[in-house]
Amino acid sequence: MKSNVLKIINVDSIADLRRESGVAAETLQQAAQIIEQVRSGGEPSLRMLVSHWDQRKPNDPLIYDRAACERELDALDRETRELLERVAQRIRAFAQAQLGLIQPMELALYGGMAGQTWHPLSAAGCYVPGGRYPLVSSLLMTAVTARVAGVPQIWVSSPAATNLMLAAAAIAGANGFLAAGGAHAIAALAYGIGGAPKCDVIVGPGNRWVTAAKQLVSVDARIDMLAGPSELLVVADDSANPATVAADLLAQAEHDVDARPMLLAFSETMVASVNRELERQLKLLTTDAVARQSLRHGFALVARDWDQALSFCQEIAPEHLELHLADPQLLAPHLTRCGCLFIGGNSAEVFGDYGAGPNHVLPTGGTARYASGLSVETFLRRQTWLRIDDLSTAQPMIADTIQLALLEGLPAHAESARRRKSQKP
């Protein structure tokens, strides 16, 4: 089997692949040292790490305020500015629709009311990778969504403090930009160092150092998820176009050498056809060096029928799931374990990457079994409340409280409830 094509594996291998997706203990240990260095050393330590790891000169700015970002936006060429604004508006519209579904609620109960309200978090840190491909799209996905949620302080952090990134931060409504990457940037966002505020939530994809740092600071700030390498599973029946399937898999493969392109077909003939197209299209791809390595992390599966195909999809629980099927509705309503579902061959995953609407910050490594992608809810906290107005009506609930407290052996709980046995405790 050639190294540039997808090898057919047994579904039993999926669990082993999932175990490979965790953060290595060595990475966690080294990230912890960096975080402690920033937390204890403050801005001087942060600047030293930025100079070392992010290749920025000592006199380069660490912080760009809102005005600086707006100046870069004003200097941006009209075509690029309008492109970013269109993408931001599509992301914004989807997030606003999500927000419209998040409502306070009230419920009448014995002698009063209970309910819940939603409140935006005070400060959000939006991390944007700045390695091989600085992802301006991720900046828009995270910061625009935070702004729709009503977060008052939104800070972008990235080692790629380019004119384009700063302009995009202005379009997204960010308050400032921290020119830092890696574990030290996550520490700065978590603990309010270097001019950025202490953030209640830190979101955005990144490399293994960023992921490790997010895991470590999650005791002090909410994180969206522990994102691993990007992944795409394409389900293709015999009606699928092998050239289009291959193009979609290569779009995923060029992300990173660790990205995982996956194919689920119903015949080895389709797998072979897609592999031939992968070989052909790789020769035309300028990012072929990355894509070739990524394909070695990918695989193909062959399902004997629709039930087995559904089982495979649910077991893999991929970040992105594309359905290249004659009738995608045969599977779509039953697929409940993926970050984002792309229904039908026209619905390219790259549309999701570049702002069709749904957010592209999604769970990876099988965590879509229980986790969701980034949304306005990521930047909100739910607060419940209880109000008892009429103690006489509340007596049955009070009696139950006393009885349950004594059953658990907690007499002070029972006494607290007993003092409400009359209107005048």
Side-chain angles (χ1 to χ4, degrees), residues 242-243 246 263 267-279:
L263 172 63
S267 70
E268 291 191 16
T269 301
M270 175 56 70
V271 176
S273 297
V274 171
N275 276 334
R276 284 194 295 271
E277 276 296 325
L278 288 171
E279 291 279 17

Side-chain angles (χ1 to χ4, degrees), residues 109-113 386-402 415-425:
L109 47 77
Y110 287 109
M113 301 287 292
L386 173 67
R387 188 185 72 241
I388 302 299
D389 301 312
D390 184 354
L391 285 174
S392 61
T393 306
Q395 291 306 304
M397 181 183 66
I398 294 171
D400 284 348
T401 301
I402 295 169
E415 178 60 22
S416 176
R418 188 177 290 114
R419 288 180 173 273
R420 274 79 177 179
K421 284 284 285 181
S422 69
Q423 291 283 2
K424 297 180 180 179

Side-chain angles (χ1 to χ4, degrees), residues 161-242:
T162 63
N163 297 345
L164 179 63
M165 282 287 199
L166 294 172
I171 287 174
N175 296 84
F177 192 110
L178 176 66
H184 47 289
I186 300 301
L189 293 173
Y191 303 114
I193 295 166
K198 182 177 181 179
C199 293
D200 297 323
V201 58
I202 300 171
V203 303
N207 62 18
R208 62 193 178 104
W209 304 103
V210 169
T211 302
K214 286 170 69 177
Q215 180 174 329
L216 291 165
V217 304
S218 62
V219 296
D220 296 306
R222 177 190 291 180
I223 62 171
D224 51 351
M225 65 194 73
L226 298 176
S230 192
E231 57 198 27
L232 166 67
L233 174 62
V234 176
V235 184
D237 64 13
D238 290 340
S239 72
N241 183 330

